[in-house]
Amino acid sequence: QVQLVESGGGLAQAGGSLRLSCAASERSFTIYTVAWFRQAPGKDREFVAGSSRISWTGYSARVADSAKGRFTISRDNAKNTVYLHMNSLKPEDTSVYYCAAAPSRGGIPSDGNEYDYWGQGTQVTVSS
């Protein structure tokens, strides 16, 4: 059972930056596909970005169109942690952000049902 703990959320001004962290309880996390989702009140859960292992040392990444050019995802395997770097924040980025993980099955699914483990979420609020 992999436990995920998100941190780094908070309040930011439009145009600002935040970095979210997703720390895992197991070292096998390094071979998991990990993704960030977000869900605002009254809206569906939305895929934001994901990372999947493609080789012994390499990972692929995918970012949703709504975040492309502004958000990036990175991993620090020594810390069993995946980061979501958010720049040029907009008020519409306000949401609860969740980290999700699953054993790699090929690709980076944007369907949350493909992920087995979820964190508790961290609130991001962007003021205009």
Side-chain angles (χ1 to χ4, degrees):
Q1 186 81 4
V2 178
Q3 295 182 336
L4 305 176
V5 178
E6 300 104 332
S7 61
L11 177 65
Q13 291 187 334
S17 300
L18 285 174
R19 187 185 75 168
L20 305 184
S21 300
C22 174
S25 58
E26 295 188 7
R27 290 192 58 81
S28 58
F29 188 62
T30 61
I31 62 172
Y32 275 53
T33 296
V34 181
W36 288 93
F37 290 80
R38 65 187 182 187
Q39 188 166 22
K43 294 189 176 181
D44 293 335
R45 182 172 57 196
E46 177 187 14
F47 171 84
V48 178
S51 170
S52 181
R53 185 174 180 179
I54 57 173
S55 69
W56 183 251
T57 58
Y59 292 87
S60 64
R62 185 158 72 93
V63 179
D65 288 344
S66 60
K68 200 164 290 182
R70 302 186 300 123
F71 294 6
T72 58
I73 186 170
S74 66
R75 309 177 76 131
D76 185 338
N77 289 337
K79 297 181 179 180
N80 290 344
T81 300
V82 173
Y83 302 99
L84 182 67
H85 307 266
M86 305 188 295
N87 299 313
S88 302
L89 284 163
K90 303 175 181 179
E92 50 264 44
D93 294 320
T94 296
S95 192
V96 178
Y97 284 72
Y98 298 90
C99 174
S104 292
R105 304 182 181 107
I108 303 172
S110 58
D111 183 350
N113 292 321
E114 298 292 328
Y115 294 86
D116 302 315
Y117 306 105
W118 290 82
Q120 80 287 354
T122 185
Q123 176 71 46
V124 170
T125 303
V126 183
S127 62
S128 58

